[in-house]
Amino acid sequence: MSDCIFCKIVSGDIPSKKIFEDELCYAFYDINPQSDVHFLVIPKTHDMQAVKDINEANSNVVAHIFEVIAELTCEMNIDSYRVITNCGEGAGQTVKHLHFHVLSGDNLNENLV
Ligand code: 5GP
Ligand code: ZN
């Protein structure tokens, strides 16, 4: 999608601190980190704006993203972390391209759930 920040990051039109990419997903550090470690993992395609768009035809990409999160956190020796995805502006979503925040650090002590 031409005016999507995350599509432009995937294409390289906007620079990012890339951690990993494969044919399905792209992982990069958040530009405004909310904890010691804060990166995002996104599908390379724009077909899912948020969790509301996940269905049986595309959920394999979401499963794959969670496999990648497990691998990357293992490689980084991170054993405590939180995975967050905001769905909708009321939940704080600002970029309408499905993304999973991975956060780790001392400020995750307070549990929302
Ligand atoms: P949301 O609020 O939609 O759940 O999360 C969007 C995230 O994208 C925010 O944490 C924000 O800091 C991050 N972000 C927005 N623009 C950019 C950018 O150009 N580069 C990077 N690396 N992160 C971005
Ligand atoms: Zn996009």
Side-chain angles (χ1 to χ4, degrees):
M1 194 179 165
S2 57
D3 62 348
C4 171
I5 292 171
F6 286 176
C7 284
K8 288 180 180 171
I9 284 176
V10 169
S11 67
D13 292 332
I14 292 177
S16 66
K17 288 188 181 174
K18 183 175 83 171
I19 301 169
F20 173 84
E21 77 175 303
D22 61 17
E23 69 281 9
L24 293 178
C25 71
Y26 190 96
F28 58 106
Y29 287 104
D30 197 292
I31 201 167
N32 184 24
Q34 300 300 308
S35 58
D36 295 341
V37 179
H38 183 179
F39 64 90
L40 303 168
V41 189
I42 68 175
K44 280 192 164 175
T45 57
H46 189 92
D47 51 322
M48 291 172 275
Q49 287 192 356
V51 168
K52 66 182 175 57
D53 300 314
I54 299 171
N55 57 47
E56 63 182 6
N58 57 32
S59 59
N60 64 306
V61 179
V62 179
H64 178 71
I65 283 173
F66 273 84
E67 290 176 25
V68 167
I69 290 171
E71 287 171 13
L72 293 178
T73 49
C74 182
E75 286 171 10
M76 294 173 171
N77 290 316
I78 298 170
D79 55 7
S80 295
Y81 57 93
R82 191 169 293 159
V83 181
I84 295 174
T85 186
N86 295 321
C87 181
E89 289 176 12
Q93 184 176 13
T94 57
V95 180
K96 292 180 178 171
H97 178 133
L98 180 66
H99 53 282
F100 295 89
H101 298 259
V102 181
L103 300 135
S104 181
D106 294 338
N107 63 336
L108 297 182
N109 296 329
E110 289 182 23
N111 289 325
L112 194 60
V113 289

